Amino acid sequence: MLSIPTEKRRQLRTISGEIALFIRNAILTGQLAVGSKIDQQSIADEFGVSLIPVREALRQLEAEELLQIEPYRGAYVKELSIDDLREIYVVRETLEQLAAELAVPRLDQSTLQELQQQLVLMEEATEILDFERLFELNRSFHFAIYTQSGNTTLIQLIESLWDRSTVYRRIYTYLPARARQALLEHRAILAACMAGDQQIAGKAVRENVSQTTRTILNLKQKEKGDDGNTSRK
């Protein structure tokens, strides 16, 4: 059996990591929609490589549950069911509440000032309904808190769950009413952080995640119902 030299194998791993990052970013930014088929040959051509590192990258993203690989058909951006989303958000509520509670005693003045500045930017973005900017600021705001928890494993778990649900938050939370409500929720989170109240901060974070959950699930269920009604006509 032919074997790949160690150095060559290391190079392939590095290339596949770059390709995985490229595809992951395309999914998380909405460039690749749910259900989209990954054009493996185009990606190989773009990077000037064979299909081997591309397929390795796809397997990595499948393990992260961002892609679904179907034998003889190809790889697709994974679509989550209502039950999948519900499970993700139930876990997110618990983990993010814990992260906030752990973080609050560790928040220094610099981080609190950063959170205040981000909230101002969120207010400005909400005023003009700049949803793309809000989307970015929302993640920055939350992880500015969570990264102070001191628990790397917890942060990695939360990041993974955010990535898995990013596509759906991008689709279903671009709503003026939700944006204004979310701003109030972030003000409550900041106020608790400023007061140094771990329990209130944790509950405020949990409420914010819970409200997002309700918005996404309600809209996805309505969409599913509309699809069913259309198919019966």
Side-chain angles (χ1 to χ4, degrees):
M1 179 183 293
L2 294 176
S3 61
I4 301 175
T6 302
E7 183 59 31
K8 182 65 174 179
R9 194 180 298 119
R10 188 178 296 116
Q11 290 174 359
L12 288 173
R13 279 200 298 269
T14 301
I15 295 169
S16 68
E18 293 177 1
I19 294 171
L21 179 62
F22 172 77
I23 299 172
R24 186 187 297 110
N25 286 340
I27 294 172
L28 299 185
T29 57
Q31 296 175 60
L32 283 172
V34 171
S36 297
K37 184 175 182 178
I38 306 301
D39 188 335
Q40 298 181 41
Q41 189 59 59
S42 291
I43 293 172
D45 293 343
E46 177 73 22
F47 282 84
V49 297
S50 70
L51 288 173
I52 294 174
V54 175
R55 288 169 180 161
E56 187 174 331
L58 297 182
R59 285 193 291 272
Q60 178 183 335
L61 295 172
E62 182 185 36
E64 295 175 17
E65 300 197 43
L66 292 174
L67 293 181
Q68 181 173 338
I69 298 176
E70 300 181 10
Y72 308 110
R73 293 194 61 210
Y76 299 81
V77 179
K78 187 171 183 178
E79 180 171 4
L80 299 177
S81 68
I82 290 175
D83 286 341
D84 291 332
L85 286 166
R86 186 179 289 111
E87 289 177 5
I88 288 171
Y89 274 93
V90 165
V91 177
R92 273 192 56 191
E93 287 177 22
T94 300
L95 295 184
E96 291 180 46
Q97 178 176 2
L98 174 60
E101 290 173 355
L102 291 174
V104 167
R106 303 164 64 97
L107 295 175
D108 56 21
Q109 196 59 38
S110 174
T111 304
L112 291 171
Q113 289 177 351
E114 178 187 350
L115 291 171
Q116 288 177 305
Q117 291 169 357
Q118 288 183 347
L119 188 60
V120 170
L121 294 174
M122 292 174 82
E123 289 170 345
E124 293 173 353
T126 300
E127 182 67 26
I128 62 175
L129 299 180
D130 186 345
F131 294 117
E132 190 64 33
R133 182 70 174 132
L134 276 173
F135 201 79
E136 296 169 359
L137 289 167
N138 179 58
R139 184 167 186 135
S140 296
F141 181 91
H142 281 269
F143 280 93
I145 297 171
Y146 302 156
T147 52
Q148 298 301 311
S149 67
N151 190 315
T152 303
T153 300
L154 180 59
I155 296 166
Q156 289 174 342
L157 287 170
I158 294 171
E159 286 179 333
S160 174
L161 292 171
W162 271 64
D163 286 350
R164 287 181 62 193
S165 58
T166 286
V167 174
Y168 291 87
R169 285 185 293 110
R170 187 177 294 277
I171 293 172
Y172 293 113
T173 60
Y174 279 20
L175 303 167
R178 177 60 196 141
R180 288 188 286 270
Q181 179 61 37
L183 180 60
L184 296 176
E185 293 160 12
H186 285 93
R187 285 174 179 162
I189 293 170
L190 178 59
C193 289
M194 296 290 291
D197 193 319
Q198 293 172 265
Q199 299 304 314
I200 296 298
K203 289 178 180 177
V205 165
R206 189 181 190 105
E207 176 63 17
N208 173 244
V209 178
S210 178
Q211 289 294 340
T212 302
T213 306
R214 294 191 192 106
T215 300
I216 291 175
L217 291 179
N218 287 341
L219 288 171
K220 190 161 175 60
Q221 285 172 331
K222 182 178 183 299
E223 180 184 79
K224 184 177 179 181
D226 289 345
D227 288 346
N229 291 335
T230 299
S231 66
R232 286 192 291 271
K233 289 180 181 179

